[in-house]
Amino acid sequence: MHVARERQHDSRALSRPQALSRRSLLGGAAAAAGAVTLTGTAAGTASAATTRDVDVAVVGGGLAGLTTARDLVAAGKTVAVLEARDRVGGRVVNLSLAGGGFTEGGGEFIGPTQDRIKALADSLGVATFTTYNTGKNLLYKDGTRTPYATDGILGSVPPVDAAGLANAAIVQASLDDMAKQVPVDAPWTAAKAAEWDKQTFESWLNANAVIPSAKFLLDVATTSIFSAQPRELSLLFVLFYIAAAGNESTAGTLERLTDTANGAQESRFVGGSQQVPIKLAATLGDRVVLSAPVRSIAQSGGKYVVTADGVTVTAKKVVVAVPPPMAARITYDPLLPASRDQLSQRLPMGSIGKAIAVYDTPFWRTDGLNGQVVSDSGVVRSTFDNSPPDASYGALMGFIEADEMRAYDASSVAEVKAAVLKDYANYFGDKAKSPTSFVLQRWNNEGFSRGGPVAYAPPGVLTEYGAALRAPVGGIHWAGTETSTYWNGYMDGAVRSGERVAKEVLAEL
């Protein structure tokens, strides 16, 4: 699942979660969207008013939009990609560190069955390395710090009471079984779609996770994956998201969403995840226009006129490859059908931030810890070791999510830093109080994402409006990770959506 974005307010952050799993009820975190900083491409900037006439205008220079453009160009079509930010990547971004180097502020992890992002990275020469996962995890609960091994008979299951573990395992198995009944391409058509979509995930959990410690594990899993509280999510949407955590030959599971080893957080990209969109954009050259937020899309003379700051593009077809809440801020003429407009109004972004503290060394490793925490308190309730593969410096990354992120939306960076370092000290000791640098990415405060890692569906949305999610409106087509049938909310889903929409458009040109 996941998010991350750029540098526009006083912060930087994205997140992608960490959740619960059958054997490892909470052994990892998930990552998904993200972006900002590093423009390093031959892309142009809309500094002076220009016009272009192309086959296809693509709105959004994240992984979805860039993949769309790649496939269209390969088929011999002319393209213009209009990106609002001064960088490519969307919710995927590398953030510079004061002492040199960088860290990821948005989507950063990939894992098994995320085939399309892996194939794209391979084609661009961007290698992966294994997320640091050696040593013990930490459970911080009721003010007590408990290290626990992740390679025993219970895997990464935090050491809560036996009754809670048993209850959580039953709940997880039930969710996986229910998810198998949800068609990933049309979850609103599931046999029990109406029943599942009329209730929140919290109401279902309250009836099934009856042991407090089990409810704790599932609550942390939920906020880690969606950056939203269980009360905000439709049960049907949660089941779809689980079903989507696979591919055409492998069923999705909650465990794959939450695990590090063999899960969605298994690997990272050498050079940072933004290397993928940066290198992809470089292959497109000046077809990519930065600092060009699109304001309107209007039909005129049998074509579409896409008006952005500094540039106007006339095109036969348009691909909108931005999150639904951002797509809704564009003016359309004629108006979009009510079903599409109502859908966009009802898909809010999750609330997420990423806080990265940098140290001379990854000192927690010498204490036998892998940097991964599950906590029931604090502003940061799940962490990862974000150090580079050569461990030339140490980096602790913490996700700030849902209620905790919203509570700090209006706070200064100094206030957030103080709260985060207090948590890190609780988890890893006094050495964590004194980082050499600190980076914060708050996606809620980023103007061209307004949250992350993904737009989610509250109750009633999928069954009433879901059919409009990918349905073209005339010559306007929809991409973005939120439209993907597999790995929705992740980088892989973004790439898949770009590949799908390019085929749609080519079939019509």
Side-chain angles (χ1 to χ4, degrees):
M1 346 174 174
H2 316 3
V3 199
R5 213 274 17 103
E6 52 186 17
R7 237 317 32 199
Q8 174 162 339
H9 271 231
D10 52 16
S11 52
R12 329 179 182 224
L14 164 264
S15 138
R16 215 339 143 246
Q18 156 189 350
L20 162 98
S21 62
R22 176 181 7 201
R23 282 209 159 212
S24 65
L25 290 177
L26 279 220
V36 121
T37 247
L38 302 195
T39 55
T41 74
T45 300
S47 55
T50 60
T51 60
R52 298 191 185 192
D53 188 4
V54 297
D55 292 323
V56 184
V58 178
V59 180
L63 285 167
L66 295 173
T67 299
T68 303
R70 174 202 65 180
D71 289 359
L72 293 173
V73 169
K77 305 303 179 182
T78 56
V79 175
V81 179
L82 303 174
E83 168 53 48
R85 305 172 176 93
D86 62 357
R87 63 166 183 81
V88 296
R91 285 166 278 178
V92 176
V93 61
N94 289 355
L95 306 175
S96 298
L97 299 176
F102 63 88
T103 192
E104 292 100 333
E108 66 175 281
F109 301 107
I110 70 167
T113 74
Q114 295 188 8
D115 312 307
R116 302 317 302 154
I117 180 64
K118 183 62 166 59
L120 174 60
D122 288 347
S123 73
L124 296 168
V126 181
T128 60
F129 67 100
T130 303
T131 302
Y132 190 80
N133 197 35
T134 301
K136 294 183 177 181
N137 283 22
L138 280 175
L139 171 66
Y140 189 83
K141 191 171 186 296
D142 300 325
T144 299
R145 177 181 175 274
T146 305
Y148 61 98
T150 61
D151 56 359
I153 189 170
L154 294 178
S156 310
V157 181
V160 298
D161 58 279
L165 290 175
N167 187 196
I170 291 170
V171 168
Q172 180 169 304
S174 297
L175 290 169
D176 285 347
D177 287 342
M178 294 160 67
K180 292 175 183 175
Q181 304 172 47
V182 177
V184 293
D185 58 343
W188 47 89
T189 67
K192 295 185 178 180
E195 174 187 339
W196 291 339
D197 202 32
K198 71 181 180 182
Q199 60 183 302
T200 65
F201 187 40
E202 181 170 54
S203 65
W204 186 88
L205 284 178
N206 286 342
N208 291 275
V210 294
I211 305 298
S213 55
K215 182 65 160 53
F216 156 68
L217 291 176
L218 287 150
D219 282 347
V220 175
T222 303
T223 55
S224 294
I225 294 170
F226 301 101
S227 298
Q229 302 295 148
R231 66 176 184 272
E232 300 176 284
L233 302 164
S234 157
L235 173 60
L236 178 62
F237 178 73
V238 171
L239 296 175
F240 155 71
Y241 215 77
I242 294 170
N247 59 19
E248 292 78 1
S249 61
T250 308
T253 66
L254 180 56
E255 184 170 20
R256 193 172 297 115
L257 283 170
T258 62
D259 274 0
T260 300
N262 300 313
Q265 290 66 240
E266 184 174 76
S267 300
R268 297 168 58 198
F269 288 109
V270 176
S273 52
Q274 200 188 359
Q275 284 295 309
V276 179
I278 287 173
K279 291 192 173 187
L280 180 53
T283 69
L284 297 168
D286 63 5
R287 297 180 184 88
V288 180
V289 184
L290 302 177
S291 302
V294 170
R295 306 301 180 181
S296 65
I297 300 173
Q299 277 189 283
S300 177
K303 288 193 173 184
Y304 288 89
V305 178
V306 182
T307 304
D309 291 0
V311 60
T312 299
V313 176
T314 302
K316 299 173 186 175
K317 303 288 181 182
V318 179
V319 172
V320 178
V322 297
M326 303 310 300
R329 301 186 184 200
I330 298 171
T331 299
Y332 299 86
D333 183 13
L335 293 174
L336 295 176
S339 59
R340 172 69 204 193
D341 200 23
Q342 292 283 320
L343 173 72
S344 297
Q345 292 179 42
R346 286 165 167 78
L347 292 176
M349 299 297 286
S351 298
I352 188 170
K354 254 184 165 179
I356 300 98
V358 179
Y359 305 88
D360 290 334
T361 64
F363 60 85
W364 50 93
R365 296 183 183 181
T366 60
D367 295 331
L369 302 175
N370 62 18
Q372 296 175 41
V373 170
V374 176
S375 176
D376 68 347
S377 61
V379 61
V380 167
R381 301 192 179 190
S382 64
T383 67
F384 274 85
D385 182 329
N386 249 41
S387 309
D390 63 0
S392 54
Y393 56 85
L396 282 174
M397 180 273 286
F399 289 118
I400 310 175
E401 308 187 89
D403 285 350
E404 285 67 48
M405 186 69 264
R406 290 187 282 263
Y408 281 87
D409 278 344
S411 300
S412 68
V413 174
E415 290 170 327
V416 178
K417 178 181 179 181
V420 168
L421 294 184
K422 179 180 178 182
D423 290 340
Y424 288 0
N426 285 337
Y427 306 152
F428 300 106
D430 287 345
K431 290 181 181 178
K433 294 179 179 179
S434 304
T436 57
S437 62
F438 180 85
V439 180
L440 176 66
Q441 173 72 27
R442 287 185 284 196
W443 291 97
N444 291 19
N445 294 351
E446 194 281 302
F448 298 116
S449 293
R450 305 306 295 168
V454 66
Y456 63 87
V461 176
L462 289 179
T463 48
E464 193 68 28
Y465 305 102
L469 184 61
R470 287 181 295 275
V473 177
I476 301 174
H477 295 252
W478 312 100
T481 190
E482 284 85 0
T483 70
S484 186
T485 53
Y486 288 105
W487 288 108
N488 191 286
Y490 288 73
M491 292 184 285
D492 189 72
V495 174
R496 287 174 183 271
S497 77
E499 294 174 338
R500 183 260 309 160
V501 83
K503 292 176 182 176
E504 286 180 6
V505 172
L506 287 172
E508 295 183 3
L509 286 175

